[in-house]
Structures are given as C-alpha cells and as structure tokens.
Amino acid sequence: MVDFKTIEEKWQTRWSQEKVFEPQIDKSKPKFYITVAFPYLSGHLHVGHARTYTIPDVIARFKRMQGYNVLFPMAWHITGAPIVGIAERIKHRDPQTIYVYKEVYKVPEDILWSFEDPKNIVKYFMKAAKETFIKAGFGVDWSREFHTTSLFPPFSKFIEWQFLTLKEKGLVVKGAHRVRWDPIVGTALGDHDIMEGEDVPILEYVLIKFVLKDGERIYLPAATLRAETVYGVTNMWLNPEATYVKAKIKSGDKEEIWVISKEAAYKLSFQDKEIEIIEEFKGEKLIGRWVENPVTGDEIIILPAEFVDPDNATGVVMSVPAHAPFDHVAIEDLKKNTEILMKYDIDPRILEEMSYISLISLEGYGEFPAVEEVEKLGVKDQKDIEKLEQATKTIYKEEFHKGVFKIEPYKGMKVSEVKERIAKDMKEKGTADMMYEFADKKVISRFGNRAVVKILHDQWFIDYGNPEWKEKAREALEDMKIFPESRRNQFKAVIEWLDKKACARKIGLGTPLPWDKEWVIESLSDSTIYMAYYTISRTINRLREENLLNPEKLTPELFDYIFLMKFDEEKERELSEKTGISREVIREMKEEFEYWYPLDWRCSAKDLIPNHLTFFIFNHVAIFRKEHWPKGIAVNGFGTLEGQKMSKSKGNVLNFLDAIEENGADVVRLYIMGLAEHDSDFDWRRKEVGKLRKQIERFYDLISEFSSYENKEIEPMDIDKWMLHRLNVAIKEATAALEEFRTRTAVQWAFYNILNDLRWYLRRTEGRDDEAKRATLRKLAEVWVRLMAPFTPHIAEELWEKLGGEGFVSLTKWPEPVPEWWNETIELEESYIKGLIDDIKEIISVARLENARRAYIYTAEEWKWRVAELVAEKRDFKASMGEVMKDPEMRKRGKEVSKLIQKLIKDRAFDFKRIDEEKALKQAKDFIESEIGLEIIINPDEDKGGKKRQAMPMKPAVFIE
RNA sequence: GCGGGGGUUGCCGAGCCUGGUCAAAGGCGGUGGACUCAAGAUCCACUCCCGCAGGGGUUCGAGGGUUCAAAUCCCUCCCCCCGCACCA
C-alpha cells in the first residue's frame, strides 16, 4: 500500500522550505492572480468548503505549470456577530452549541471553555484552517496571510480607507431601514436570531385613509396590497368583535386621528409613528356608519365581517367585491343574514342596491372576476377560507399579470404598472400612508418573543442603488468572464435590484466606521476589495515582524497613492516623511500592486452571487481605475454527504481535515474535482472515495513501474502510435477543460480516460515486452504525471522524482500535444478493430453460434471506397449517382452502386477517412482471435455464406461457421 | 410574488449554445464470466424492449410546432431547487 501520508508531508515540507508558492515580481513572465473568498472561521472547514478552495488551487497549479507567475494568497474572515454569539452561548453553556463544538468539531475540553472569549475561537480555528489548507496541499503564499477586523490593525486601516473613499464619493449614506425587531429585548433580528418564521417575508401595505365624519376629521386607514382597487370600493369592513382604538397618530410634524385595531396601534408605534390612544372600543360601534373614499369621494357604509383579522395590518379593510373574492362572499353572506343587519340597524336595501364596480378587464373573465372565480370554486360562505384564499390568489395573480385597468386617468395601463402609480400618487396627496407587516404572524425571536417590524434610523448604508454606480458595475460585468457563463444573467439581475445595503451594525467583531466609531463595518462590506490588500500584505507583514510598522501611519493618503495614483517618486518621498515608512518600501508596495492587479479570477461558491461577488464588482468599480477592474469570476456548487445536506447541528458533517486524514489529500482532491463541475453540486460517498484511493494506488504503481523504462527513440508499432495519439487527445482536452475551470471534465481526461486507454493498450500488447512498448509507456508516464500534478500534487511530485524529472513537478512545464504523435488514421483503425470484435460477438450471441470455429472477414472492395468517398463529398443522391455513373466500370454494377449510395446517404456517412482495412486486420489478427476465441480468416477467395457483398467501408462482412 | 437555475435511460450525471455520427459519455448499482482454496481487489462482458447474422422498435417532465431530421430550436403547461439583504 502506498503511504500517502508520508509522501504528502514530505512534499509539503519541501514546498514550504523552498518557497515554491511565494512568487516575486517577475516582469519576464505573465502574471496570474487568483483568489477565493476567505472562510469565516466559526468552525472547521468541511468537505463542501474543500471544493471551493481546491478549485483555485488546481487552477493556480495548472497556470503555474503553463509558465505564469501565479499568486494565490489566503486570509481569514472573522468579522461579524456569529463568533461573538458563539462565545456568548458557550458562556451560558448552551447544550446545542457545546454539542457542535465538542462532538462535531472535536475541540478538546480545556480549549472549549476558553471559547468564552471570542478571540480564542478565532485563534483556534485560524490555526486549524491553515493546517487544513497546508495538509490539503494548497499552494498558498502564506507570507501574505492576515485576518480581518481591528484585531489586525493594518487591515483595519485599509478598510477605513475603503470607507472614507466610498463616503467621499457619496456612496455611503445614512437613512432609515426596516428590520425585524424583538420588542422586548430591543434588538434587530438577523436570520440566526429567529427561532420560527425566518423565511416570512415583510409586506408593504398601503394604508388608504378613508374619512369618517364625526365632527372631527377621523381617518379609517384601510390596509391593502392592491391600492389600485380603491376605485372599486363599495363598502368598508370591520370586525365587530375586535377591539379598535381611536388614537392620535404623530408622524413627523403631522398629527392625525386614526381608527385602527389595537394590535395595529402597537405595531405602528415601531414604524415612525407616535401613538396616543384616546379611546378603545369594539368594532361593532362603527358598523353602519359612513365614510368617504378619499380618491373617488364616494360615501360608503361600514359593514361587519368576521374574516377581518385585527392582527393583520390595520384591521381595517376596504371592500372591492368585483375583484376580491372575500369581499364578494361577505356581502352575499350579509344579504342572507337579516338578523345581523337588523342588529346594526342597516337597511337591507343598501345591500340589495349595492352595485359592484368593475375596474380591470381580464381576458377569460367578465366584468367581475372575483364573482366568477367564487362560483367556479363553489365557495359556500366566508368561513370557506381555503377556497377563498385559493380564489384570491388566482384573481390577484391573473389581474396583476394580465389585467388592464379601465379607470381614468390610468385607463389602458397594465395593472402591474398602475398599482405602484396609484399608491405613489395617493401618498403624495397625503391620502395614503404605509405599513410594514409580516406575511405570516408567527415570527418568533430566539428569545421567544413575537417579532415586529421596526424602522431603524441613523443606519449607514452603502448605496448600491446609485444609478451611475450600477452603470459602471454593468460595464465591468460586460468585460468579465463568468464561469459558468449561465450565471451571468443572475449577476445582471442582482446588479439591477441591489439597493441600499446596511453596512454597519453595533455588535460583533470588525472595523469601526472611521467617522462614527459606535458602528462596526459588517462582514459583507469589509470583504469586497481585500484582494488589493494581499498585494501589499507581504510587505506589511514583514514590517510588522521587524517592528517597523505603526499601523496608525497607514493613512488614507498612503493607500490613495498605492492603489489609485500613478508612480510618483516625489509623492513617495513625501509619504515616507509622513508615515515613517521608507521610500523603498512604499515603492515596493506600489510595484506589487501594479504588478498583480487587476485580479484575474475570483472564486467562490454560488451562494455568494447575490451578495459578496456582486459587492466585489461594485466596490472595485467605485474605487479603482478601470484597468484594475476584476477580470473573471468562477462559481462552484456545494456538497452533500451520502445524499444528505451537511448540517453541523445534526452532526452530519465531514470535516475537511478528517477527510484528508482518512484518505490522503490527493485522493480527496481528485475525488472532489472529478465529482462535479462548475455550479452543480456533488455528493460525497464514502464508498466511492475508497474506490478512487485504489485507483490512485494503481496509478502510482503503474508509473513507478514505467519509471524503470527508458525512453529510447525506437520505431513504434501501430498500437504504440495509437497510445501516443490518445495521450495527445487527453492533453488537449484536459488543458481546454482547465482553461474554463471545468474540473470534472479535466479529471476525466487527465485521469480516467488515460487509465482506460492504457488498459486497452496493455491488453492489446499483452505478451509484448520490447523497447518500443517500454518507450511508449515511459513517454506516457512523463505526460501523465504532469497532467495529474494539479489534482494530486504530492503523488505527482513523488513520481516525478522517480522519473528523474528536474526540480518540482509543480514548477515543471505543463504538457502540450506532441505534433508527431497525432495519428487520426491509427485511431480510426483501432476503433475499426474494436467495432469488428463487437460485431462478431453480437453475431455469435444473436445467432447462438456456440460452436463456432472460424470467422471469415471480407473488407469492402475498392470501388465501394471510391463511391463512399464521392458520396462524402457530394452528400446528395443525384449528384453522387451522376458522377459515379460516368465511370463505365461502375455502370456495370449500376444497381448495386445505387443501393450503396442510398444507404450511405441514409446513414449520413459523410466523414470518411480512408484506412487500410486489410493492413489493420492483419496486424490485429492475433488479438482479435484471442478476444473472440475463433480463428480469423481475412479476405479468403471463397465467398463463404455469400456474405462478401455486404462489406461496407469501415464495416467488413463477416461469416462465422 | 419577484429574480436565477433546472427536469435525460434503476440512481447520480454528461449531452443540449453550434439540430443528424444519440439508445444517448462516465460513475454507482445489478447480472454473468476470468482470476482465487475462499473472500476482497483486479480484469472482461452485458445492463430500455424485441431479434437463431451484425438488425429493428420505443424513449430524454407533458402537450403542440418548425424541419427531410429534435434530448437538442420555438410556444404553452406542469413540477423541482436556490436567492430576496443587514446575515456569514
């Protein structure tokens, strides 16, 4: 058994000792700069992460072998609240957290308790992550390692510079923002902070202020998601049993009296409104009163409806029976229920005479779609909630997408457009307000309290909604490569809908906002341009080690020069004086940046497209010159474990490090790279990994064996030529795949296909042990090891050494197809032989010729070849026939010729290349015989079984007896 | 709801952009065989249906359409996955 572990450690040590992956500026070489989203270290990396980080390493290794000067750096992300939260939970001995860290991440107990301090969590997992990456064989330039937040001051200064720059450009703004809020604890709630209902969306209700005449001006704000239907209101609904309040509502300098449900008053108090309750009463008090529609001026009556939920929005509902199923059904119910009408002293004629107002024309429906839909579904009454909701959904959807509005001044517009227009117009006139509400009531914080929607003020935003900025982002995307290309649309869409993004919060680790230190820059905002920091990071680290760096001296002016300006000695002198950093060192940083930037590739998993990766584009175009805009993004999918989603809380996680310990880094790398491609997901199956390990051992053994052979220049036999030709194909295809980050295809060519071809070759050459074969295998070994080097670098180094290769395989030249090795003809001959063997086997099985002794093979006669070639050229029956018949020899067998042409046309056998069938057969005779266990007779004079005439080019006739 | 991506032969998963050479790569699983005392590993063959001569038939979410020809192009419908932000 191959000792992977020893081999891996041996080469990891050598790489590190010889600084193989710490590139220096080298202007004689093209540079290649690739980065991957740094990990957030709240735990160990698992096998899903392995994919994300192995891809750039493979690509980096590939490019390095192609002769590029490659920079592949790494750093650690510790910004944000989760790590602090974990420390908190450890402190409180939260069992779930302790389970995860003790059992899943296997943190030793004495260290575990030190996690009460978040700094210790960070320290522990940074160390572990680095160890993991080293053991995985990643060719990372560790001289540039750093981590985020104020715990690493130089980087913090860099982030300060970024934010000052953005602010100067007017891209950081202050404003209000709605958040989920725990009203008891008094904190904003992120997804992690929510126990139940984390996926409940927040809806924006329009509150249309109907006017209740009662001496004073009282508003009854009806909440709706369909503001356009205000034109079709026939009445109002209140729940007679619910508690409503009359309250003074102060909003800004406006003060009004509203009637809303008690719950609504509470909720609105979090949404920029001061509420002073004047009176509390049951809904029934207002039933039968009249209000004025603020848009149409209509006088309408307030009617009772039990479907009205006081705990949804304002608890005041306007009734649009033509287009809202609930409203229509409630009216029908009322008509039948004279008792209630009597109770509230409502004249039944009001209902009888009520006429529905049709607002929207909708194909497939008449004037009142809601009525039709209700009838269609057979809704009984307003208690028939399920069907009513179904009907509402259908009508809403249909009208929104296909409906055309019929009322002036919006006549002829699509409902989807009118909706927003009307709401906007009403808000401007002051006849409408708005309210945020959860789409579902059950949103519970992890503190066990029911959440509300709160409007936060003084929040800092990055204004991704800025139109000029968006335009620049589009422009950058246009010039970028995106792998897979199919993801480009998503980037485009994200750029379009991205708007103000809160960029700071009050808790968690991070860099304080330079102008407002109470706020800490959050994690998606301090991770957008750090690729530029890597270029100067080595220098900074060196200064730190030599104790020559005072981070405070890393001023915006310095960063401006390094990242934004042209080379300028005068400026360098000036900065040197100001910062105490020598001019040479400033120069060095500037040169590093100018040499490595722009970034060639940014890699990450696909979940970061809607945020990090797009922010990355935005921030680059905002800050850097166009020549420094990023050039490409490659996204990858996730991983599952034996078909199950990995979940640390369930303990269903395979740590990257454990996988390496179990299987060896090379096996893990090759397995993951060969398992899926681009953005598709992979599934880790233990059994398959085990199998692959065996195959890699086989690879190791084979190459080891071949390494003892000599690469003599000896005239190869045809099958040797075939092998070399196939090797050329593998080189070409693997290279093409890697250029596009298609790792799975690359592995298929670089590993499996060569393995299969080699298997065939060894079978074909069984019993042969001559110089030509040995030379062929030796050549194969030298190519194969290099093709495998990006995927299985340790074993490749080991084998490269055995082969006597110079230096590291990691630094040797990537193979290119050898022009003399190309040989299409031999490839065709080989597949011809293979096809023939398959044919014979099929004949034997179908005809059940168990006792066959001999197979007679007849190759196509010369004239058939000539016809085939002609047909391949003409690709048309008439043209071919006409041409062939010019030949008197052919005319003699006119009928046969015409049949042949017909068949060739039908089979579309148009890309014939001529091979010497008889020669190929003779050379492979022994092999064919041993494969099928019959004696082979090639082109005998006697036409056995009358089969001879069936022979076609590339498909010989066969008779078996 | 909005936005993005998908539905392929037992399963996973290529191919579809650039229609034909696609019954459709590869892997897994299954069956049979070689090897072995045996197991494992390895190797070989088969794995939609039919077929006593290398052939034929029916397939690529459903239904239409374009075409001499569609898994591949167009339309309609159904279903699945992911994101919708202050959270890494």
Side-chain angles (χ1 to χ4, degrees):
Chain A
M1 222 170 75
V2 186
D3 184 358
F4 287 116
K5 197 166 179 168
T6 306
I7 293 174
E8 286 172 6
E9 278 166 8
K10 168 180 166 187
W11 292 100
Q12 283 156 16
T13 308
R14 290 210 193 163
W15 291 331
S16 160
Q17 278 168 351
E18 313 221 1
K19 300 187 189 307
V20 170
F21 305 118
E22 295 178 23
Q24 304 291 330
I25 292 175
D26 178 352
K27 289 182 177 152
S28 71
K29 280 184 180 177
K31 66 92 188 178
F32 184 82
Y33 182 22
I34 184 166
T35 64
V36 53
F38 49 21
Y40 181 73
L41 294 175
S42 57
H44 283 305
L45 299 159
H46 57 64
V47 145
H49 296 115
R51 168 104 174 273
T52 304
Y53 296 102
T54 305
I55 291 168
D57 183 58
V58 165
I59 300 299
R61 288 176 171 279
F62 162 64
K63 283 283 155 184
R64 196 175 290 115
M65 289 175 77
Q66 277 189 327
Y68 288 85
N69 195 21
V70 173
L71 175 57
F72 176 44
M74 193 72 69
W76 317 111
H77 203 202
I78 58 175
T79 307
I83 288 175
V84 177
I86 290 157
E88 204 60 30
R89 271 173 270 151
I90 298 267
K91 197 181 277 177
H92 294 117
R93 299 292 185 265
D94 171 58
Q96 175 65 28
T97 308
I98 295 193
Y99 164 76
V100 168
Y101 284 80
K102 215 164 143 184
E103 307 301 329
V104 182
Y105 293 147
K106 305 181 185 87
V107 179
E109 192 131 358
D110 50 323
I111 294 175
L112 183 66
W113 304 125
S114 77
F115 282 7
E116 291 181 8
D117 181 350
K119 281 200 219 74
N120 291 328
I121 302 181
V122 166
K123 240 165 63 189
Y124 182 80
F125 287 112
M126 276 198 312
K127 192 165 163 259
K130 186 172 178 181
E131 187 193 337
T132 307
F133 283 0
I134 289 171
K135 288 198 167 167
F138 292 162
V140 167
D141 180 352
W142 291 112
S143 71
R144 296 167 197 264
E145 181 187 6
F146 67 90
H147 53 272
T148 61
T149 78
S150 50
L151 296 176
F152 195 91
F155 185 73
S156 248
K157 297 308 284 184
F158 173 76
I159 294 300
E160 284 185 16
W161 168 75
Q162 174 190 356
F163 271 76
L164 289 167
T165 307
L166 290 176
K167 187 150 184 278
E168 248 169 55
K169 291 174 189 271
L171 300 175
V172 178
V173 296
K174 210 171 194 181
H177 185 63
R178 57 172 177 74
V179 293
R180 292 175 292 199
W181 185 260
D182 185 314
I184 312 296
V185 179
T187 182
L189 300 168
D191 264 352
H192 302 281
D193 307 321
I194 288 186
M195 202 159 69
E196 199 183 340
E198 56 274 86
D199 50 358
V200 173
I202 295 174
L203 303 174
E204 284 183 33
Y205 280 91
V206 176
L207 307 185
I208 302 176
K209 295 192 285 187
F210 286 75
V211 186
L212 182 69
K213 299 275 173 56
D214 190 20
E216 55 185 335
R217 198 174 177 82
I218 297 177
Y219 292 109
L220 204 53
T224 179
L225 295 169
R226 302 186 61 188
E228 76 280 8
T229 59
V230 69
Y231 286 92
V233 176
T234 57
N235 60 285
M236 295 295 278
W237 299 116
L238 289 183
N239 187 328
E241 298 304 319
T243 307
Y244 286 82
V245 297
K246 178 173 156 190
K248 201 184 280 176
I249 308 279
K250 252 181 85 179
S251 175
D253 45 13
K254 244 181 8 198
E255 198 175 290
E256 295 171 349
I257 307 290
W258 286 15
V259 169
I260 48 182
S261 72
K262 191 177 172 189
E263 292 89 337
Y266 170 72
K267 290 178 200 166
L268 280 170
S269 71
F270 294 95
Q271 299 185 13
D272 279 351
K273 290 188 167 50
E274 271 177 54
I275 316 267
E276 190 186 313
I277 293 175
I278 301 164
E279 190 190 343
E280 224 178 270
F281 50 85
K282 282 245 182 125
E284 59 186 8
K285 186 182 155 193
L286 292 177
I287 306 294
R289 298 278 299 275
W290 293 75
V291 293
E292 184 193 312
N293 183 326
V295 175
T296 61
D298 294 345
E299 291 285 326
I300 54 170
I301 189 168
I302 301 173
L303 296 174
E306 47 191 305
F307 75 82
V308 173
D309 180 359
D311 198 11
N312 185 230
T314 56
V316 178
V317 176
M318 63 189 201
S319 168
V320 191
H323 301 284
F326 269 101
D327 299 339
H328 165 63
V329 172
I331 287 170
E332 290 300 311
D333 283 358
L334 265 190
K335 283 184 186 168
K336 286 177 225 149
N337 195 339
T338 43
E339 237 171 83
I340 288 201
L341 295 177
M342 299 239 310
K343 181 176 169 194
Y344 297 112
D345 202 16
I346 295 166
D347 185 346
R349 275 180 303 181
I350 293 174
L351 280 155
E352 294 306 328
E353 287 164 12
M354 184 182 280
S355 53
Y356 289 7
I357 304 160
S358 176
L359 304 173
I360 293 159
S361 62
L362 181 62
E363 218 184 292
Y365 288 89
E367 265 200 308
F368 308 127
V371 178
E372 287 176 37
E373 196 61 24
V374 162
E375 280 163 9
K376 204 163 102 193
L377 294 181
V379 179
K380 284 192 278 304
D381 54 33
Q382 59 185 303
K383 290 195 183 104
D384 202 350
I385 305 280
E386 209 170 292
K387 279 186 186 161
L388 273 170
E389 276 176 355
Q390 168 70 40
T392 302
K393 209 174 153 188
T394 307
I395 294 297
Y396 183 99
K397 200 167 147 186
E398 289 287 302
E399 292 190 339
F400 182 80
H401 291 288
K402 297 178 193 158
V404 177
F405 207 64
K406 298 197 291 197
I407 310 293
E408 293 294 356
Y410 308 101
K411 196 172 171 177
M413 285 171 66
K414 287 198 298 196
V415 170
S416 51
E417 293 164 14
V418 170
K419 192 183 163 72
E420 302 226 338
R421 274 278 295 277
I422 292 183
K424 196 168 148 252
D425 292 351
M426 282 192 293
K427 274 182 216 163
E428 275 166 13
K429 283 187 196 133
T431 51
D433 207 316
M434 59 124 21
M435 174 179 183
Y436 294 109
E437 175 72 296
F438 293 118
D440 188 328
K441 270 184 238 174
K442 277 210 162 169
V443 181
I444 312 292
S445 80
R446 71 178 156 96
F447 309 102
N449 304 314
R450 193 170 148 199
V452 296
V453 181
K454 181 177 167 71
I455 297 176
L456 274 186
H457 289 273
D458 298 335
Q459 172 70 52
W460 288 102
F461 294 95
I462 298 183
D463 185 10
Y464 293 118
N466 180 303
E468 291 99 72
W469 197 5
K470 272 192 198 295
E471 184 50 38
K472 273 174 125 180
R474 284 186 207 108
E475 192 186 331
L477 179 66
E478 195 69 28
D479 292 335
M480 282 170 85
K481 280 192 201 141
I482 303 292
F483 287 149
E485 178 59 32
S486 59
R487 287 282 170 180
R488 185 181 295 277
N489 279 339
Q490 194 182 354
F491 277 104
K492 280 187 190 167
V494 172
I495 288 175
E496 291 320 308
W497 66 248
L498 222 48
D499 199 0
K500 291 189 180 64
K501 148 92 181 126
C503 64
R505 48 186 333 199
K506 298 214 169 168
I507 47 168
L509 302 174
T511 298
L513 265 184
W515 60 85
D516 192 352
K517 304 273 186 189
E518 270 178 46
W519 292 92
V520 175
I521 296 163
E522 62 82 51
S523 60
L524 285 169
S525 301
D526 80 345
S527 57
T528 58
I529 58 164
Y530 67 92
M531 314 81 204
Y533 181 86
Y534 278 129
T535 66
I536 62 165
S537 187
R538 172 169 55 195
T539 309
I540 300 263
N541 286 350
R542 197 184 66 224
L543 291 175
R544 267 164 71 87
E545 268 165 40
E546 295 168 355
N547 242 326
L548 290 174
L549 186 77
N550 173 1
E552 285 311 311
K553 297 286 176 70
L554 295 172
T555 58
E557 210 185 340
L558 177 68
F559 289 125
D560 275 347
Y561 172 65
I562 295 172
F563 296 123
L564 305 181
M565 296 165 70
K566 301 273 179 204
F567 282 104
D568 181 345
E569 287 192 25
E570 196 50 47
K571 187 81 194 167
E572 283 166 12
R573 263 188 282 275
E574 185 194 325
L575 283 168
S576 175
E577 216 153 282
K578 285 186 181 167
T579 61
I581 301 169
S582 75
R583 196 186 81 78
E584 290 70 32
V585 171
I586 292 174
R587 180 71 176 194
E588 179 187 320
M589 290 193 277
K590 175 83 184 143
E591 276 185 340
E592 287 257 358
F593 174 73
E594 296 289 344
Y595 178 77
W596 293 112
Y597 245 58
L599 180 66
D600 293 284
W601 286 101
R602 178 75 181 157
C603 304
S604 124
K606 59 189 173 186
D607 54 334
L608 298 188
I609 296 173
N611 44 60
H612 167 261
L613 289 171
T614 306
F615 298 162
F616 154 77
I617 297 175
F618 266 96
N619 281 271
H620 269 83
V621 302
I623 292 170
F624 296 101
R625 296 200 301 271
K626 192 169 179 180
E627 65 196 272
H628 290 146
W629 290 2
K631 291 166 75 176
I633 291 176
V635 303
N636 60 271
F638 312 126
T640 53
L641 200 55
E642 311 287 349
Q644 294 296 114
K645 211 171 150 183
M646 277 188 266
S647 149
K648 61 183 176 192
S649 59
K650 286 180 195 147
N652 181 233
V653 174
L654 179 56
N655 293 143
F656 192 5
L657 199 55
D658 293 342
I660 294 171
E661 291 293 331
E662 223 172 279
N663 308 287
D666 284 336
V667 175
V668 172
R669 294 171 59 113
L670 186 65
Y671 181 63
I672 289 179
M673 289 300 93
L675 211 46
E677 192 148 277
H678 280 330
D679 58 349
S680 61
D681 302 336
F682 73 80
D683 184 29
W684 177 285
R685 295 187 204 171
R686 200 176 223 105
K687 208 172 157 190
E688 285 179 24
V689 183
K691 255 191 167 159
L692 182 65
R693 191 195 157 98
K694 290 262 159 32
Q695 281 175 305
I696 295 181
E697 283 179 2
R698 177 114 198 279
F699 165 73
Y700 184 86
D701 293 341
L702 285 166
I703 303 283
S704 299
E705 188 191 330
F706 301 162
S707 70
S708 66
Y709 300 163
E710 259 185 275
N711 184 6
K712 288 190 181 159
E713 283 312 317
I714 285 197
E715 179 57 26
M717 296 179 65
D718 274 6
I719 190 64
D720 303 335
K721 290 183 190 163
W722 175 85
M723 186 67 246
L724 294 175
H725 174 262
R726 292 298 301 167
L727 206 50
N728 254 2
V729 176
I731 295 170
K732 185 175 162 230
E733 296 295 337
T735 306
L738 280 177
E739 294 286 3
E740 292 173 357
F741 289 60
R742 284 160 35 226
T743 59
R744 180 183 150 93
T745 307
V747 168
Q748 226 139 43
W749 281 104
F751 187 60
Y752 293 104
N753 289 349
I754 294 180
L755 193 65
N756 283 338
D757 287 341
L758 176 61
R759 207 177 274 155
W760 178 255
Y761 174 77
L762 292 176
R763 205 165 129 199
R764 280 287 263 117
T765 58
E766 222 178 314
R768 247 182 81 192
D769 186 15
D770 51 72
E771 295 289 358
K773 180 175 172 182
R774 287 171 166 244
T776 304
L777 290 171
R778 170 78 200 199
K779 283 175 182 143
L780 175 131
E782 283 171 15
V783 169
W784 201 7
V785 166
R786 284 181 289 155
L787 286 179
M788 289 293 283
F791 305 103
T792 57
H794 311 90
I795 260 200
E797 291 287 8
E798 187 70 15
L799 290 169
W800 187 245
E801 194 179 52
K802 281 197 185 199
L803 287 167
E806 274 197 25
F808 292 99
V809 74
S810 301
L811 297 176
T812 202
K813 204 173 161 312
W814 181 255
E816 282 174 23
V818 178
E820 307 86 73
W821 289 359
W822 289 118
N823 199 327
E824 311 273 348
T825 311
I826 286 194
E827 190 176 32
L828 273 176
E829 285 174 4
E830 198 55 25
S831 66
Y832 170 76
I833 298 297
K834 203 154 192 245
L836 176 64
I837 291 170
D838 288 345
D839 272 357
I840 294 174
K841 281 183 177 165
E842 191 177 349
I843 292 167
I844 292 172
S845 114
V846 172
R848 300 190 189 153
L849 303 169
E850 285 95 355
N851 300 318
R853 307 283 301 273
R854 270 177 290 276
Y856 299 86
I857 315 288
Y858 302 90
T859 58
E861 294 158 281
E862 171 60 20
W863 68 268
K864 287 184 178 168
W865 271 101
R866 286 205 338 253
V867 171
E869 277 167 340
L870 196 88
V871 170
E873 188 196 321
K874 302 281 180 193
R875 304 191 171 207
D876 173 80
F877 181 81
K878 270 193 175 167
S880 308
M881 198 65 188
E883 188 65 29
V884 174
M885 286 305 155
K886 285 181 188 161
D887 182 342
E889 281 299 307
M890 293 288 192
R891 249 176 301 184
K892 282 183 195 156
R893 39 174 139 243
K895 196 154 190 182
E896 240 180 313
V897 170
S898 121
K899 268 201 167 153
L900 177 61
I901 295 178
Q902 262 175 31
K903 183 164 168 49
L904 287 167
I905 299 260
K906 185 170 161 275
D907 292 347
R908 310 192 61 79
F910 294 154
D911 39 74
F912 267 127
K913 276 212 186 93
R914 198 186 270 245
I915 64 165
D916 186 339
E917 294 186 67
E918 197 165 317
K919 184 203 91 178
L921 284 172
K922 281 185 177 148
Q923 284 200 4
K925 182 168 179 283
D926 292 347
F927 177 67
I928 299 171
E929 286 180 339
S930 78
E931 283 290 309
I932 59 175
L934 300 179
E935 187 192 343
I936 295 290
I937 297 138
I938 299 161
N939 282 335
D941 293 333
E942 191 186 352
D943 183 2
K944 283 273 187 180
K947 292 283 174 186
K948 193 172 171 180
R949 37 181 278 272
Q950 276 184 15
M952 296 282 285
M954 293 309 284
K955 196 165 176 67
V958 175
F959 178 74
I960 295 169
E961 66 170 15

